[in-house]
Amino acid sequence: MTINPGAAEFPHRQIASQIRAQVRRGDWAPGERLPSIPAIATNYGVAKQTVQRAVDQLRVEGVLITKPGSGTYVRGTKRRLNRLSRGRYGAYRGYHSDLAARYRQQLTEVGRAPAPAEVADAFGVADGVELVVRRHLVRTQDAAVEVGASWFRLADAAGTSLERHEAFGRPLYQEAEEVTGRRYVSATDSVSARQPSRDEAEVLQIRPDTPVLHLLHIAYDTAHKVIEVAQATWPGPMTTLTEEYKVPAPRES
């Protein structure tokens, strides 16, 4: 293991590049523990801080994971999620069986809460207006991969099943349609990257400086009035969002 001190690239980036290549070649398998930072520093002939910067870079990229008091490990395969809201509704307005097979959704909280800014903006109400919220956690077999919430106006949800802490034997949007008498006909999805909140980092078991992907989903009825505003947050380095769609053929002139 060597670095080129005369290269334009910083030493920690050279080290990160070499470790990344070793992981891709399979020199270290998913879940395998890397040598300690002092040992890697000795092998490269650099300071421990230089290796720590390389490890931090690879951790943010999702290549490595650090476990406090245990060490640095190669992260397992990236979780490829098809959880944009088109997948949530399913191809034929039914439960998306592929998602149900891979993910377990747990309802964590139901009640009334002040609307956060992005939710208030979507509904066109003032920040802090009380809404009904249903919070959830999605897990795979080995980890939490999503924290989320669905928000409804009190006028639509107060005193209904949407305000009770119970799971439904069908998708939430179908329950909301029956309760409100309004049909979901269109929606918009906005995905952004940001730093996690303290609670998000704790639940998703990521470091506070690990970026997350955040989805804001706004669902509309036939009059283009908002029925539901949903949020979902995923650990960025471990998540790939995919959408499959057809490209229309050129029109004949």
Side-chain angles (χ1 to χ4, degrees):
M1 296 182 177
T2 60
I3 61 170
N4 179 1
E9 190 174 40
F10 291 115
H12 76 276
R13 291 182 178 172
Q14 294 182 52
I15 294 171
S17 179
Q18 291 186 40
I19 293 176
R20 189 187 303 107
Q22 288 177 292
V23 171
R24 288 183 63 83
R25 287 199 307 267
D27 295 351
W28 286 313
E32 186 173 350
R33 186 173 183 269
L34 269 64
S36 68
I37 285 177
I40 296 175
T42 298
N43 288 337
Y44 278 104
V46 298
K48 290 183 293 185
Q49 292 87 342
T50 301
V51 175
Q52 184 64 63
R53 291 184 68 188
V55 168
D56 287 345
Q57 177 180 326
L58 294 172
R59 180 180 48 75
V60 172
E61 291 177 13
V63 177
L64 303 178
I65 182 172
T66 54
K67 300 180 182 180
S70 178
T72 301
Y73 296 79
V74 177
R75 189 179 291 281
T77 55
K78 195 174 263 195
R79 300 179 186 99
R80 298 189 177 276
L81 309 183
N82 182 16
R83 288 193 60 81
L84 289 178
S85 294
R86 184 180 302 180
R88 146 190 222 242
Y89 296 121
Y92 301 103
R93 291 180 60 79
Y95 198 66
H96 199 302
S97 59
D98 179 51
L99 294 182
R102 288 183 290 151
Y103 306 104
R104 300 191 308 276
Q105 180 167 309
Q106 172 191 356
L107 191 62
T108 58
E109 178 189 341
V110 179
R112 301 184 184 187
E118 67 175 6
V119 174
D121 288 347
F123 276 114
V125 299
D127 292 3
V129 166
E130 193 173 56
L131 301 173
V132 170
V133 60
R134 299 176 63 86
R135 302 187 192 276
H136 68 264
L137 174 67
V138 177
R139 301 184 61 88
T140 60
Q141 290 184 348
D142 61 342
V145 296
E146 174 185 313
V147 290
S150 290
W151 299 81
F152 299 91
R153 291 177 182 269
L154 290 183
D156 288 328
T160 72
S161 58
L162 296 176
E163 201 176 14
R164 294 196 293 269
H165 197 292
E166 62 180 63
F168 310 120
R170 55 182 174 175
L172 175 60
Y173 80 91
Q174 291 184 348
E175 185 76 16
E177 285 184 327
E178 182 170 314
V179 166
T180 64
R182 301 159 66 193
R183 189 167 72 83
Y184 287 54
V185 296
S186 64
T188 60
D189 284 339
S190 301
V191 180
S192 56
R194 59 169 171 79
Q195 297 299 111
S197 67
R198 174 182 285 185
D199 289 343
E200 289 168 342
E202 182 176 337
V203 172
L204 296 172
Q205 297 184 321
I206 57 177
R207 286 178 43 143
D209 58 348
T210 300
V212 293
L213 293 178
H214 181 71
L215 169 70
L216 180 69
H217 171 72
I218 307 173
Y220 301 91
D221 64 10
T222 53
H224 202 66
K225 293 184 178 180
V226 178
I227 304 176
E228 175 194 355
V229 177
Q231 299 166 300
T233 304
W234 308 285
M238 296 87 82
T239 305
T240 299
L241 296 174
T242 59
E243 275 287 294
E244 238 179 81
Y245 54 90
K246 295 184 180 296
V247 178
R251 292 184 178 179
E252 295 183 5
S253 54

